[in-house]
Amino acid sequence: MGQVTVTLPDGSSRTVPAGTPVRGVAEGISPRLAKAALAALVDGRLVDLVHPLDRDAAVRIVTDSSPEALMLCRHSTAHLLAAAVTNLFPGAQCGIGPATDEGFFYDFVVDRPFVPEDLETIEKKMKQLAAEDLPYERQMWPREQAKAFFARRGEPLKVQLIDEKTEGQRDVSCYTIKDPETFVDFCTGPHVPSTGTLKTFKILSTSNAYWKGDARNQPMQRIYGTAFPTDKELKAYLTQLEEAKKRDHRKLGRELRLFTFHQWAPGAAFWLEKGTTLYHTLANYMRGVLSPAGYVEVKTPLVYNKALWERSGHWKHYRQNMFLIESENETMSVKPMNCPGHFLTYASETRSYRDLPIRLHEQTPLHRNEVSGVLSGLTRVRQFSQDDAHCFVMQDQIGDEVERLIRLVERVYDDFGLPFSAKLSTRPEEFLGEVATWDHAESQLRAALDRAGMAYTLNEGDGAFYGPKIDFDVTDAIGRKWQCATIQLDYAQPENFDLKYIGADNTEHRPVVIHRAIFGSFERFIAILIEHYAGAFPLWLAPVQAIVLPIADRHAAYAGEVRDRLRAAGLRAELDERQEKIGYKIREAQLQKVPYMLVVGDREAETGTISVRERSGGDKGATPIDAFIALARDEVETKGTPAAVARG
Ligand SMILES: [Zn+2]
Ligand SMILES: [Zn+2]
């Protein structure tokens, strides 16, 4: 047997006999590392510790402090869950069990839905299997043998998965925990070496599901759980989860009367009066940001002939997500994105280098035919609008335009008090165009990030095949990250749509397109804001900014006058004229999270004042109406924290 050379992250190398498992490399480095090892990266690919090294390779051992540990332990814990369920519920059939950003889940076909006591029993069984420290063993089975095994065990869904995922392969990989009688799953891996390393997990909830998320398929029961490499991380997450439950935008959206849904319009929100106000406030805010930045707003059609989607490539790659319409024997589709409409708009005139950059902004609705099983609140919808825009630039304008965009993103998130971070994704293995063009674009993106003073992480090879991109994650008040803004370079669509401009040399050139959005979708961004602020919107966003509360009937006329003056000053003011006790009205307004409650009685009516109470409970006492208006307008203008009304 020959020798292979292994290069370690510190640049050192060592030689081992060919076929040595990566665990052997860890043992050679230190017994401590071997004990902590969970898996390894071999030439960038995550593999089990038993993976044999058959050629020279760069090797990095993965331990619980490695970034890869999180998904590895979640995925492995999902198997542990399936092992516990099949053990406790004989005849239970396994679907799929992926790791997710939040933890993991596993879908099962069972005779009856799981109840909370089941989840406790299942978690207990998982702890027991973990304590037994059973090895995860990888076995390569001939494909037909694997199919026969799962068929015999009454798992037709696994047979279907093997059929779909391993076409043309001779062998498929199956993992067993303990021995084939205990639990075998079809999976490509990798996993932690044994169940003993899985100590910090929690089973969370259960829900209805369907095979492949499609309501026409086999109904299933989903069990959700989470797992972390360390106990500290798990505890922090569970605390966050408690907080998130209180802030759930679906719950608050109902309580604050912002939006509702109906089964006859799955995945499409009915925006109620207050939700519509919030929506428009954000839409107009974005217009106010983009217009001075050189963007023009357009409205392009919602429905297009199939020919457009063939040109853009959506017909080939995205058709299953599009709503199709038949009209006069033509197939049409409701648009899932604005891009092609903007390309046609660009191409509707001859463009000169003097016109560039051209920045088209649009907020019309988009529809994507998501399977009903994945729809949830405002975060997974079928109908939504984006703060979408496309910038058409010359090659040498990319850097400047991207720098302007980064500053715009920064400014917008600052206005909402949302910290954020940036990721640069570069050329993937399969890409369109010339390496030199990509290198040039990537160096312009890096330079733009540097000039804007923006720290970023690098996702090497993670760009789209048609261009590199920068993504932005915001972090909400309870520490969750949400991906929102994106800046995506595109060299492909200008070709597909034969987009041109006349250069200074009087010949035709190809512009580059930058797809960009800052909120992402309004629907999802509103969900994030509701949860970020826990429904207590800052004054500039609050659908109702102030509510006037008369103490008795005889104060109604004065109260109406106060409301009208606030409205005339551009504030969103309401009046609670109901014949209820003032204490009740105040409590109700607090529950509705109205920033200011303006109480009026005899004294206020006589002196032309209002008694200002803050949502948080602060009592600011009698204030002249004009003084309150000035302060409230200032607070809206500066998007600031509540101004000290008492100061006036
Ligand atoms: Zn697996
Ligand atoms: Zn686009």
Side-chain angles (χ1 to χ4, degrees), residues 480-495:
R480 292 172 302 174
K481 280 187 187 302
W482 307 76
Q483 204 214 301
C484 292
T486 176
I487 298 173
Q488 167 78 62
L489 259 57
D490 189 343
Y491 293 96
Q493 293 292 18
E495 292 287 336

Side-chain angles (χ1 to χ4, degrees), residues 91-280:
Q93 221 194 107
C94 300
I96 56 160
T100 66
D101 288 346
E102 301 288 302
F104 59 86
F105 65 81
Y106 215 115
D107 290 343
F108 303 95
V109 180
V110 273
D111 301 336
R112 58 164 178 85
F114 294 114
V115 295
E117 296 79 68
D118 292 335
L119 299 188
E120 277 172 38
T121 318
I122 290 165
E123 191 178 282
K124 216 176 278 167
K125 186 74 195 174
M126 289 169 71
K127 297 262 180 212
Q128 185 201 324
L129 292 173
E132 288 174 31
D133 197 17
L134 311 166
Y136 282 80
E137 196 182 299
R138 184 167 203 242
Q139 301 174 344
M140 292 305 290
W141 289 0
R143 192 163 177 263
E144 290 311 312
Q145 184 190 325
K147 282 168 62 178
F149 172 84
F150 286 108
R152 201 166 54 239
R153 221 176 55 177
E155 301 243 30
L157 301 178
K158 288 286 169 194
V159 177
Q160 190 185 333
L161 281 179
I162 295 174
D163 266 331
E164 289 170 4
K165 305 224 166 184
T166 66
E167 213 187 312
Q169 292 179 21
R170 199 169 57 93
D171 294 328
V172 299
S173 72
C174 293
Y175 278 82
T176 158
I177 297 178
K178 203 174 179 180
D179 64 73
E181 299 313 310
T182 307
F183 181 68
V184 184
D185 205 348
F186 158 65
C187 182
T188 52
H191 305 94
V192 295
S194 70
T195 59
T197 62
L198 306 172
K199 294 195 182 73
T200 43
F201 57 81
K202 177 103 190 116
I203 293 303
L204 297 171
S205 60
T206 173
S207 75
N208 293 323
Y210 297 96
W211 176 237
K212 296 190 169 173
D214 189 331
R216 290 165 301 187
N217 289 343
Q218 166 102 54
M220 303 184 82
Q221 288 293 307
R222 175 169 297 178
I223 295 179
Y224 289 98
T226 195
F228 286 87
T230 65
D231 196 43
K232 195 171 148 224
E233 291 166 280
L234 176 66
K235 287 216 172 92
Y237 176 77
L238 293 177
T239 310
Q240 188 190 68
L241 208 61
E242 275 308 303
E243 189 53 36
K245 243 183 227 166
K246 289 183 224 156
R247 294 166 177 254
D248 189 327
H249 75 276
R250 293 164 297 189
K251 173 176 161 277
L252 286 171
R254 204 166 40 241
E255 289 171 6
L256 301 177
R257 295 173 215 134
L258 297 173
F259 56 84
T260 185
F261 285 91
H262 192 279
Q263 62 194 30
W264 286 345
F270 290 69
W271 290 97
L272 306 175
E273 182 187 342
K274 293 210 281 177
T276 304
T277 301
L278 177 61
Y279 206 116
H280 284 168

Side-chain angles (χ1 to χ4, degrees), residues 43-56:
D43 286 335
R45 192 165 72 91
L46 195 62
V47 297
D48 293 311
L49 289 178
V50 296
H51 177 83
L53 294 159
D54 45 19
R55 66 183 105 104
D56 294 351

Side-chain angles (χ1 to χ4, degrees), residues 276-480:
T276 304
T277 301
L278 177 61
Y279 206 116
H280 284 168
T281 303
L282 289 168
N284 290 332
Y285 161 79
M286 190 48 83
R287 291 184 171 110
V289 167
L290 293 182
S291 172
Y295 288 74
V296 294
E297 186 169 355
V298 294
K299 283 162 90 70
T300 60
L302 304 192
V303 176
Y304 294 87
N305 193 288
K306 165 181 140 189
L308 174 88
W309 307 112
E310 286 171 340
R311 173 70 64 88
S312 69
H314 287 90
W315 194 253
K316 193 165 166 210
H317 299 292
Y318 204 70
R319 185 172 29 165
Q320 71 283 2
N321 287 88
M322 289 161 49
F323 284 102
L324 304 183
I325 298 170
E326 291 296 321
S327 170
E328 296 180 344
N329 296 324
E330 295 277 352
T331 302
M332 316 283 285
S333 160
V334 188
K335 66 179 173 186
M337 48 192 76
N338 292 309
C339 330
H342 288 188
F343 303 151
L344 298 186
T345 309
Y346 177 92
S348 67
E349 285 178 45
T350 306
R351 309 289 183 173
S352 144
Y353 70 97
R354 285 190 217 90
D355 304 329
L356 300 186
I358 287 172
R359 308 179 183 94
L360 304 180
H361 166 59
E362 173 153 10
Q363 299 186 351
T364 54
L366 306 173
H367 288 78
R368 293 183 189 172
N369 197 358
E370 304 272 358
V371 289
S372 52
V374 305
L375 300 175
S376 167
L378 295 177
T379 48
R380 294 297 294 270
V381 287
R382 284 178 171 175
Q383 185 194 313
F384 58 97
S385 296
Q386 294 180 322
D387 62 324
D388 197 11
H390 295 89
C391 305
F392 300 83
V393 299
M394 296 186 266
Q395 284 280 355
D396 61 5
Q397 291 176 325
I398 294 173
D400 277 351
E401 190 62 24
V402 170
E403 185 188 344
R404 289 169 58 112
L405 265 167
I406 294 167
R407 293 187 193 281
L408 214 56
V409 168
E410 191 169 20
R411 184 239 152 128
V412 168
Y413 291 156
D414 280 353
D415 281 344
F416 294 91
L418 288 165
F420 64 98
S421 54
K423 281 181 297 202
L424 171 64
S425 299
T426 57
R427 190 177 70 234
E429 260 170 43
E430 280 184 38
F431 62 95
L432 211 95
E434 305 297 322
V435 172
T437 319
W438 275 82
D439 287 348
H440 176 68
E442 286 173 13
S443 72
Q444 289 205 57
L445 292 188
R446 280 174 218 260
L449 284 158
D450 290 340
R451 280 199 306 274
M454 178 78 53
Y456 62 94
T457 53
L458 189 62
N459 279 1
E460 203 95 52
D462 213 27
F465 70 90
Y466 50 83
K469 62 173 177 170
I470 303 174
D471 293 316
F472 296 84
D473 285 334
V474 301
T475 305
D476 70 12
I478 57 170
R480 292 172 302 174

